Amino acid sequence: GVGLRNFAFGKFYEEALKQNFDVTYWNNTSFPIIDLGYKEIQVEIGKCRPISDLYKRAKKIIELKQNYKNFKDKAYLSYIFPNSYKNLKESLKSLYVDGLVFIYNSPKGLLKIEQKLHQLERKSEYYIKSKETLKREDPKVLFLTNQRPVNAIAPLLAAQDLKIPTVTFIFSWDNLPKGTMVVNSDYYFVWSDHMKKELLQYYPKVSENKIFVTGTPQFECHYNTLFDSKENFFKKNNLKLDKKYICFSGDDVTTSPNDQFYLEDVAKAVRNLNNKGHNIGVIYRKCPVDFTDRHIKIYNNFKEEIALIDPKWNNLGNSWNQVMPLPEDLDLLANTVYHTEMVINVGSSMVFDYVAQNKACAYLNYNTKKTTNSIWNIDEIYKYIHFKSMPSKEAVLWINSSDEIEKVIIKGINESELKTTKEWYKIICGENPSNTSEEIWKTIHKILN
């Protein structure tokens, strides 16, 4: 979904035309890109061999175990999800993965796993169909929007076997430490110098001259959107003109299983502030891949304080990779940021959406009294590797207990000193986040020349 948002809905296609590129979208999503007026080919078959997925799972676990061994940080092990043994089929798969990890858990073993994965995919019908498509279309370059999915391996191998240059964009700011690289590309486009160092650190076989720092299109909407007037935006979304709104951006259930209780704590704090003479509201923007209605009970208890503005995404299958954004969500997101004073969440990249518009972010950093998952602990979230990129803890406001929410909201609404947040934004997103699409096409020109 984010790949669509970055490379189909924003400036990407427009910039391609400006630089004389003829773009065809080789589409493996459920969203009909042809409806946008673009050339589109649907991926034929589009699925890897089932056994390839098991090798991919083993590869990821081995990478993370090797990273833990090399860097002595338990955060790498926290990225390993427990195998499923809920039925016989899942148990057999998990036992197979466990066996692969046991046998190949070494740098040499990792290389063998990767080679086997490529062998398996080269024998697949998907690879044959991908090769046929590429021969017919004869592109000058194949651009892959996401390094994570195992079903990207076959088309990438097919392109390489036909001597078509391949470029892979690193999908998200937290991906490289998580062992999510499943493809071997000719070139890599990364968000920043920081991400380039990560790529070289975790994948030393990649040559430095094959990595290009382009930035990410993810935040371009904040620089290119024609913002609604306050009157229009508030009327469309049933907001009250006399209120100042803050945003609570939701997380998925895995990242934050107690998110609804954080929302409840924030709503209580806002109610208390309003009883003291303030006039504040909370816009709740649900996470697009949160398939629950866990926030509804909280909303029903705090309708005076909370307004719901759901992201404009279509759920096509109750799986995170089958939830597709609509083009209008870019404008909705940019306008939500524009018409709110700050954002509160659990460790989200929304900090960068807000600092792009010179607004503060507060990270929730305590365990709620109510819980749906007694094992989950907020302390583990901020131990993740990508948070080590913060230049200092002052990059965000910290809410260390529910008693602190009121004062942090007041501080966030009035926050004008965002120097450290902007420094973090630059570290993660590069020098020029407003013109990334243009930079990507210029870099593709360089590669082709």
Side-chain angles (χ1 to χ4, degrees), residues 156 192 201 261 291 320 355 362:
L156 215 67
S192 61
Q201 177 182 347
F261 303 129
F291 307 114
W320 71 267
V355 76

Side-chain angles (χ1 to χ4, degrees), residues 29-161:
T29 76
S30 308
F31 184 90
I33 292 176
I34 197 168
D35 289 356
L36 301 174
Y38 303 160
K39 288 184 192 173
E40 174 191 26
I41 303 167
Q42 281 289 332
V43 170
E44 289 189 66
I45 299 174
K47 288 184 179 179
C48 68
R49 297 176 71 183
I51 195 169
S52 296
D53 190 56
L54 302 184
Y55 271 83
K56 177 222 171 182
R57 281 165 57 183
K59 178 181 181 290
K60 177 179 177 178
I61 293 167
I62 293 167
E63 272 191 27
L64 292 170
K65 284 177 178 285
Q66 289 298 309
N67 287 343
Y68 170 63
K69 184 179 175 182
N70 293 333
F71 307 117
K72 306 292 187 274
D73 191 327
K74 287 185 178 178
Y76 293 107
L77 299 180
S78 69
Y79 297 133
I80 299 174
F81 289 108
N83 281 327
S84 170
Y85 296 91
K86 65 183 178 184
N87 56 45
L88 180 61
K89 185 178 178 182
E90 290 298 314
S91 297
L92 290 172
K93 285 181 180 179
S94 295
L95 287 169
Y96 192 83
V97 171
D98 290 341
L100 290 173
V101 172
F102 180 77
I103 295 166
Y104 294 107
N105 186 16
S106 69
K108 284 185 180 178
L110 194 56
L111 185 61
K112 286 179 182 177
I113 284 272
E114 197 171 81
Q115 289 167 345
K116 180 65 175 175
L117 191 48
H118 291 176
Q119 286 170 11
L120 287 166
E121 283 303 283
R122 277 196 171 96
K123 291 176 182 174
S124 69
E125 190 183 355
Y126 181 25
Y127 169 85
I128 294 164
K129 289 288 186 186
S130 295
K131 213 168 183 179
E132 287 172 3
T133 301
L134 289 164
K135 282 179 180 176
R136 184 179 70 244
E137 296 297 319
D138 191 26
K140 291 289 183 280
V141 66
L142 181 69
F143 181 82
L144 176 67
T145 64
N146 187 342
Q147 86 292 347
R148 293 175 58 162
V150 68
N151 58 11
I153 296 173
L156 215 67
L157 288 174
Q160 289 168 337
D161 292 345

Side-chain angles (χ1 to χ4, degrees), residues 312-340:
K312 293 186 180 293
W313 290 55
N314 274 348
N315 180 2
L316 302 172
N318 282 331
S319 169
W320 71 267
N321 58 0
Q322 292 180 297
V323 182
M324 300 297 152
L326 299 173
E328 52 267 34
D329 189 57
L330 277 178
D331 280 350
L332 178 63
L333 172 61
N335 270 289
T336 300
V337 176
Y338 185 74
H339 291 290
T340 50

